[in-house]
Amino acid sequence: MRESLQLISLVFLGFFALTSPAKAESWEDYVEFRDEIKPRTVPEIYVHQGKIKIVVWNDEDKASLSSDIETVFGNARGIFRLGSSQGPVPLYRLTGGTNSYGGHGALWLNYLGVNVVAHELTHVADAEHKIARSEEFRLLVEPRIKKLRELMNENGISDLASKEANERLDIADQCGLPNAYSAETIQETLAELARNIVIGKDAKLPPELKHFVSKNLINATLAPDPSIPLHRDGKIARLRGDIEVAYEKLNGAVKADPEFAEAYIERGLLHELDRKHELARDDFSTALSLMSEYDWHTYKVYQFRAQQYAALAQNEEALADFEAAGRIKPNDLTIKKAIVQFKALVEMQKKFKK
């Protein structure tokens, strides 16, 4: 009798489990409002260094952002899945002159709106730039970026972020890109493509671009990638000055993904901290070989490698790297000063050799 009752109970519970509705997926599963910096993260270290300052959310802004996020979530759940791969994405409120941005695994918001959320959350979803740096994406967008930049220059426009540039949608349309800003870097290309698809302004985008972004972002499913948490933990360890742990994590990240450019950059910075300049130079060289000339970080990596050449007294090589950085960022005063300095050093070396 007891066995019969147990069997009936199990059948009933099984039927109940099958017929009960599953919990609906919600944007609140993927993001969280925060008034304080999440501990044991890169932002926590930057707060201590005085580089980041946040304020408390008020109810009005929370309600406004919640509505924006719900709209984006309804159209692009894949972005949320990717962005929250290491846990819910913290939402921080900024004030003052700091722009909104998606970085360090969080969304930092000065101004609000669906466009901002869709764009910046894409940066969070591709925080390590693996999607933007993929061979498939680069083949699709690099020729378009090159063409758009050339046409802008022909029309006397050099600042792709300017109002003047982004009013020239006729030029962007010729290149199959949403606007001029989408040619600023490959990371901005990805974010602007995603933003246009999310808000329903993708009618003029080439089908191959829409397909790539939809597959890899908008409708993406989360696949395990052990290299990413290893990289993030390694970066935190480096910033804390824990060299041994940083090496363990970053070596693991590179082993897990030998084409992980961001991990090579981070390990190069660790080698520099450890005064292993040849190893740092080699890691920066590997990173550059994996990056696009239109990558947002390329000019910085040239600077990083130049500093290793300088530490090794290889001034001609250092000058060449600073000049490469200068071609990408012609208005950067720090790079300009370095070029002048190393030109003088190279000339001095030539005189001593004579």
Side-chain angles (χ1 to χ4, degrees), residues 59-75:
D59 291 340
E60 183 180 352
D61 286 347
K62 262 190 175 183
S64 175
L65 181 59
S66 295
S67 176
D68 295 335
I69 290 176
E70 189 167 8
T71 299
V72 177
F73 182 73
N75 296 329

Side-chain angles (χ1 to χ4, degrees), residues 131-162:
I131 300 173
R133 288 173 179 158
S134 67
E135 183 179 6
E136 183 181 358
F137 187 65
R138 288 178 58 180
L139 287 172
L140 285 171
V141 302
E142 285 182 348
R144 301 176 189 279
I145 292 172
K146 182 180 180 182
K147 181 179 177 182
L148 192 150
R149 288 186 176 194
E150 289 173 348
L151 290 174
M152 284 292 174
N153 280 328
E154 289 173 12
N155 283 269
I157 302 172
S158 58
D159 183 0
L160 297 174
S162 67

